[in-house]
Each structure stands twice: as structure tokens, then as C-alpha cells.
């Protein structure tokens, strides 16, 4: 009887022990899933490449406060989590140095970043209008500060109007307002049409204004 009671009592204990064991092993399992989640920047980081040639989004660098603006300086950097890279001897490393020009991202040359365009501002105006753009540094360029920054840019977009076509129409059919109609300036075109080009005076003036680019498309865009 004693052995039977011991057997009956041991069964719940073993069941309880299994449940505790399974619970204790499941908790780290879920934590492991959370910790192994791959950040989005990893897709842009080449695996097992040289650390010094990683894109800027793959590393974190300390600011070198002793650097001189416009001069090349050395910066201490560290790879971000889940990024693997090697040194010149093919040894994996986390801490390394890179050389880059001491300047902020917004001070880069215009070819080193890409900005949003605007089609709501006038490009043919005096003074020339500006618009607020959001600029992003290209992936392979290193710089200090935020890689996405605002900047005031001159309006620079086109509606597909050709300067050569407008000038040709102004010379040949300007007396009938064809140049103004082509540029989308209907009122001026009708005025030239019914006044026979202002008896020729308006036609000559438009040839000069279109020739020097003073008169442009009605939508404010640039010639192509």
C-alpha cells in the first residue's frame, strides 16, 4: 500500500515538474524570438565585407570635435547590431576607424544628396522663387549630423515646353499669336491674333523676349 501511495503521489509531482520545465523553457524561447528580429537597415549592409566600406547606415561613429572643416579626419566607428564585417586580414571586428571629410550633411555638394521636387512654384519669375525641399544623402556618402535635412532650393521643373519651338513659332507665326498659344498664354495669344501682332511691334518684342528666355510657359516651368 505504501508503494502504491508513493506511486500515486509521484505522478502529480512529475506532471507539475514537466509543466514548470516547459514553462521555464518557453519564456526564453519567446525572448529569443524578440531579440533575433532583424532591423531593416541590415538589408543594406553587405555581409563579411570590409568594415571601413560599409554604408553609413550600418555603423555608428563618434564625433571628432578636433576635426577642421573641409579637411579629412579620422572617426572612431562601431558596427550596428546584426551587422558582420571584417578587417583587411579577414578577421571579424566591431570597432574600426574611417576617414571622411569634416562637414555636416547639409554642407555637401548638390551631387551628394537627392531632394524632393516641387511643381507648385514659379520658375520663370523675378526674383526666382524657392521652395522647401527634403533632402536625403546618398547611401555611400559619409557626413556629420542628420542624413535627412530640409533645404531651400530654387524652383527647377519643366512642363515639356521647348524653347526652340517657342522661338520658331514666334518668328514665323508670331503675328497670329501662335507662340503665346503654345506657351499656354491664351489671353496674350488672342490679343496678338486680333491686333495682327500689335501691327508687328508686339511680334518683334516677343521674338526678343522669348529669345532671351524672359517669356516662358504659363505654368511657370522651365524650357527643355
Amino acid at each position: 500500500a505504501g508503494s502504491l501511495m508513493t506511486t500515486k503521489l509521484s505522478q502529480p509531482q512529475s506532471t507539475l515538474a514537466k509543466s514548470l520545465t516547459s514553462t521555464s523553457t518557453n519564456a526564453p524561447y519567446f525572448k529569443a524570438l524578440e531579440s533575433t528580429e532583424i532591423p531593416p537597415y541590415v538589408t543594406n549592409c553587405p555581409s563579411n565585407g570590409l568594415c571601413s566600406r560599409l554604408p553609413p547606415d550600418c555603423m555608428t561613429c563618434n564625433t571628432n570635435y578636433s576635426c577642421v572643416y573641409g579637411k579629412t579626419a579620422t572617426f572612431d566607428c562601431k558596427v550596428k547590431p546584426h551587422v558582420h564585417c571584417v578587417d583587411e586580414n579577414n578577421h571579424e571586428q566591431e570597432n574600426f576607424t574611417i576617414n571622411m571629410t569634416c562637414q555636416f550633411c547639409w554642407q555637401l555638394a548638390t551631387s551628394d544628396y537627392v531632394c524632393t521636387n516641387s511643381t507648385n512654384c514659379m520658375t520663370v519669375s523675378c526674383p526666382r522663387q524657392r521652395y522647401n525641399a527634403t533632402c536625403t544623402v546618398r547611401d555611400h556618402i559619409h557626413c556629420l549630423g542628420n542624413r535627412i535635412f530640409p533645404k531651400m532650393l530654387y524652383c527647377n521643373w519643366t512642363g515639356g515646353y521647348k524653347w526652340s519651338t517657342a522661338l520658331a513659332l514666334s518668328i514665323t507665326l508670331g503675328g497670329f499669336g501662335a507662340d503665346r498659344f503654345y506657351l499656354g498664354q491664351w489671353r496674350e495669344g488672342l490679343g496678338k491674333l486680333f491686333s495682327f501682332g500689335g501691327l508687328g511691334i508686339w511680334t518683334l518684342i516677343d521674338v526678343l523676349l522669348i529669345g532671351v528666355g524672359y517669356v516662358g510657359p504659363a505654368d511657370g516651368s522651365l524650357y527643355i
Side-chain angles (χ1 to χ4, degrees):
S3 61
L4 180 61
M5 182 177 295
T6 303
T7 304
K8 289 182 178 180
L9 290 175
S10 62
Q11 289 178 352
Q13 290 178 353
S14 61
T15 305
L16 179 60
K18 289 181 180 179
S19 64
L20 289 175
T21 303
S22 63
T23 303
S24 61
T25 55
N26 284 339
Y29 176 72
F30 288 116
K31 289 182 180 178
L33 285 179
E34 294 177 358
S35 61
T36 56
E37 184 179 355
I38 300 177
Y41 61 78
V42 176
T43 58
N44 298 324
C45 303
S47 180
N48 296 326
L50 287 176
C51 294
S52 58
R53 296 189 178 182
L54 286 174
D57 290 337
C58 305
M59 64 181 75
T60 303
C61 298
N62 297 326
T63 303
N64 186 346
Y65 293 100
S66 62
C67 70
V68 180
Y69 172 73
K71 302 293 183 179
T72 302
T74 302
F75 293 81
D76 296 324
C77 302
K78 181 179 181 180
V79 294
K80 290 184 178 180
H82 303 283
V83 177
H84 302 281
C85 62
V86 296
D87 58 9
E88 289 78 3
N89 298 322
N90 205 28
H91 296 153
E92 187 172 354
Q93 64 176 171
E94 292 186 357
N95 299 305
F96 56 96
T97 60
I98 63 170
N99 295 324
M100 69 175 179
T101 305
C102 180
Q103 61 182 349
F104 288 99
C105 295
W106 59 269
Q107 296 173 320
L108 291 171
T110 55
S111 59
D112 293 335
Y113 53 83
V114 180
C115 300
T116 56
N117 293 323
S118 174
T119 58
N120 297 324
C121 57
M122 298 288 292
T123 58
V124 182
S125 61
C126 187
R128 192 174 177 186
Q129 290 188 1
R130 295 173 180 257
Y131 70 97
N132 292 318
T134 301
C135 302
T136 304
V137 181
R138 297 186 184 275
D139 294 338
H140 63 284
I141 301 297
H142 291 271
C143 58
L144 303 176
N146 296 327
R147 299 185 62 82
I148 300 177
F149 53 91
K151 198 164 189 177
M152 293 289 293
L153 299 178
Y154 284 112
C155 297
N156 186 22
W157 66 283
T158 178
Y161 297 94
K162 292 184 176 181
W163 172 81
S164 58
T165 302
L167 182 60
L169 290 174
S170 183
I171 295 174
T172 58
L173 300 174
F176 301 99
D179 50 352
R180 294 283 184 164
F181 286 128
Y182 172 73
L183 296 175
Q185 302 176 6
W186 296 95
R187 294 181 180 178
E188 292 80 355
L190 291 174
K192 291 182 69 174
L193 177 62
F194 292 111
S195 65
F196 300 101
L199 299 179
I201 299 176
W202 193 350
T203 301
L204 293 176
I205 293 175
D206 271 359
V207 171
L208 295 175
L209 294 180
I210 294 177
V212 299
Y214 185 82
V215 173
D219 58 5
S221 65
L222 294 176
Y223 289 114
I224 59 175

